[in-house]
Each structure stands twice: as C-alpha cells, then as structure tokens.
Amino acid sequence: MTVPSLAQAQDALARVKAAGTLKVGTETAFAPFDFIDATGQHAGFNVDAFAEVGKELGVKIQWVELPWEGVLPGLEAGQFNMVAGPATITKARVERYRFLSPVAEATVAILRRAKDDTIKTPQDIAGKTVGAGKATAQLAQLKTFSATLPKPVEPREYPGFNEAYADLAAGRIVAVANSLPNIAFVASKQPNVFAVVQPPFGQKSYFGYIGTKKPDDQPLLDAVQAALVKIKADGRMKKLQEKWFGTSFETPDVAPEPSF
C-alpha cells in the first residue's frame, strides 16, 4: 500500500503554515490595487491588505505577477494559493471560483480626456472607440452597455489598463471603461489629463479575492475569509480604502449573489 507523503496528507492551510508563505497571484497594472511605483516596487491596496492578512495567519506573502489573462489559469494550474486581483464578482466566475469577502465596489464607469467636452454622460460614447482590459468583467459590461446605445461602441482590448490609459492620453481612443475606484485614482493623479464621467454606467458590483473550489483549499480560504472580516471589523480595511481610493466602501462580509 502506498503511504501518502506528509505534503499530500496536509491541506492547503497546513502547507502554507508549514512553509510560512502564502503565494498570491496578481497583475501589476491595475492601480490603485496593484501597480509598480516610481521606485520600481510592487505597491497598492492589495499589497497593504495582504500584509494584514499575513499578520493574521502568521505567514509572509509571496507575490506572483502575471498579465491578467494568465492569472486565473495560473490559479487553476496551482502556481499560487489564491488570487488578489481583485476580480469583479460575476455569475460566471462564482460558478467556477470561490470569492471571499468583498474589499471594494467595482461598478464600471468611463474615463475620458480632461479637455474632451464631447463626452458628458456615459451615453456619449455611442459609436466611438473605447478601451478596456482584455478578458475583464469591465470589457463585458462595456459590450453589454454598448448594445443599449443608438450606435454601438467599438471596443478596443488591451493586455492591461495602463496601455489603455496611454492610448487615451494620446488621443487614440476617446475613453476607457474601468471600475470607478480605478479610474478615480488615475484621474486624481493626473487631473489635467483625465476626468471621470458620472454617473457609472455598469450594474453595482464588488471586487473580491479568489480561490478555487477544491476541497483541499477550503481551510486556507476559510482562514483568509476570517482574517478579512476581522480587518473590516476593527477598522483597518476602512483606513486602507481611504488611503488608496480617497473614500471607503460599505461591503458585505460574505460575497453577494451577483446580478450579472
């Protein structure tokens, strides 16, 4: 009879505790959640939030950085324990992955050039070229919204939102569709270049961290979930939201049933 090794006998939480390291996958072109700062360091809301999670679990955080389209496949391939991202909680994703306690609102809005007065409402993007990240929920919502307009939007897909912002600044596209916290951050950093179009056009939604639904992973995800709820309850989450978004969000402790 084959005797399983200790590593095989342990669940994901036990292995993480034994190694003293939680491996987290993310992209670094999704400010203010994850980005490379002026010193070349990985920074953002997720870095700070997972530092607090690490304290609660008694482990260090090891970041694994990939383009967004490779992050979820990387999770399924076992390259890391969970995904920071974060990702918009959608019906399709909930069927496939486990979402933990939401960390911010994710409703989609429009970013335009500051001096472009032709886009005053979301409906003004009709018939125009609008950028969004490849394989993102924001792109999916842009396409859904486009179908309601008199003339459809021409969506332009980018490997990361930074490339979309660069094309917007250069006038190669007229707008970028991304979640409100992200574009509000971008506009606040470059108010002479970018402006946010209000109100958001997307359905109200939330960002959450992701794990698999494999039974082996559930004790670890339960521990991270408990850590996130504790960080919310004692006010640490609110302070991080205010630091990185300039505001705080009321988010449920348990991932809600998504509307889309």
Side-chain angles (χ1 to χ4, degrees), residues 5 13 32 53 77 87 110 112 127 140 164 170 174 203 222 225 231 244 257:
S5 67
L13 177 60
V53 170
I110 291 293
R112 62 169 172 85
V174 301
Q203 299 181 52
D222 288 344
Q225 166 73 13
I231 292 164
W244 289 107
E257 185 68 27

Side-chain angles (χ1 to χ4, degrees), residues 25-37 41-44 46-47 63-69 71 85-86 132-134 136 138 158-166 176-179 182-183 185-186 207:
T26 197
E27 66 167 324
T28 54
F30 200 55
F33 289 97
D34 287 289
F35 62 99
I36 302 301
D37 67 16
Q41 299 299 307
H42 178 197
N46 287 340
V47 175
W63 292 98
V64 181
E65 301 164 10
L66 294 168
W68 177 247
E69 61 264 31
V71 173
K134 183 178 181 180
T136 63
Q138 292 86 357
Y158 292 86
F161 279 97
N162 286 348
E163 292 92 339
Y165 300 145
V176 173
N178 199 358
S179 295
N182 303 87
I183 61 173
F185 176 81
V186 172
F207 280 124

Side-chain angles (χ1 to χ4, degrees), residues 11-17 22-25 50 53 56-57 75 80-84 93-94 96-102 208-230 253-255:
D11 62 36
L13 177 60
R15 292 195 296 273
V16 165
K17 291 276 193 177
L22 175 66
K23 295 177 71 175
V24 182
F50 270 92
V53 170
E56 295 299 321
L57 271 60
L75 174 67
F80 27 83
N81 301 111
M82 61 179 299
V83 167
R93 287 172 174 164
V94 165
R96 192 162 187 169
Y97 305 103
R98 176 180 172 182
F99 277 88
L100 303 184
S101 182
Y209 299 140
I210 300 176
T212 77
K213 290 189 174 183
K214 298 174 184 176
D216 178 78
D217 286 340
Q218 301 320 299
L220 172 62
L221 298 177
D222 288 344
V224 177
Q225 166 73 13
L228 290 170
V229 171
K230 181 178 179 181
D253 284 345
V254 177

